[in-house]
Amino acid sequence: MTYVVTDNCIACKYTDCVEVCPVDCFYEGENMLVIHPDECIDCGVCEPECPADAIRPDTEPDMENWVEFNRKYSEAWPVIITKKDELPEAKERDGETGKLEKYFSEAPGEGG
């Protein structure tokens, strides 16, 4: 099992999760985070820290695509280990549907 970040992180990018991760397996894109599935130790401490409820175990239904999505971008984006402010539109975008198609950016974040 591993944990993955899903589309509700897009356009929110809360970073509460990165502070509690014991293995630093979060990676930062321009407008979301991902978890490297091979580095995640399945401890689960990040899941309750996410205000947007965007972190899910891969054992939930239909998570296969999110595992590959997280793998792809964690190999392209910089690691993030420090909490930062969420995106300005986070509260208004939290829970919105269709965020992957509407807002996702492949651009890397700053990391740090």
Side-chain angles (χ1 to χ4, degrees):
M1 185 177 86
T2 187
Y3 285 83
V4 294
V5 180
T6 61
D7 57 340
N8 204 43
C9 184
I10 299 169
C12 291
K13 197 166 83 168
Y14 292 101
T15 58
D16 306 64
C17 52
V18 303
E19 283 194 320
V20 300
C21 181
V23 294
D24 302 334
C25 65
F26 281 89
Y27 293 79
E28 182 183 15
E30 179 179 37
N31 68 355
M32 78 173 293
L33 304 176
V34 292
I35 295 171
H36 195 301
D38 297 334
E39 295 173 2
C40 176
I41 61 169
D42 315 327
C43 67
V45 296
C46 59
E47 187 180 19
E49 296 300 317
C50 180
D53 194 31
I55 300 173
R56 314 299 316 152
D58 72 344
T59 54
E60 289 188 359
D62 303 318
M63 286 291 126
E64 298 85 11
N65 289 340
W66 285 111
V67 172
E68 290 313 308
F69 181 95
N70 277 246
R71 182 183 317 284
K72 175 182 178 179
Y73 291 103
S74 65
E75 293 173 357
W77 293 345
V79 70
I80 178 172
I81 59 171
T82 306
K83 183 174 172 25
K84 300 178 181 181
D85 291 337
E86 67 271 8
L87 295 176
E89 66 270 20
K91 287 181 180 44
E92 99 183 46
R93 297 277 184 245
D94 187 5
E96 186 176 328
T97 59
K99 290 167 68 170
L100 183 62
E101 297 77 19
K102 290 187 227 177
Y103 308 118
F104 176 67
S105 169
E106 291 187 348
E110 295 175 4

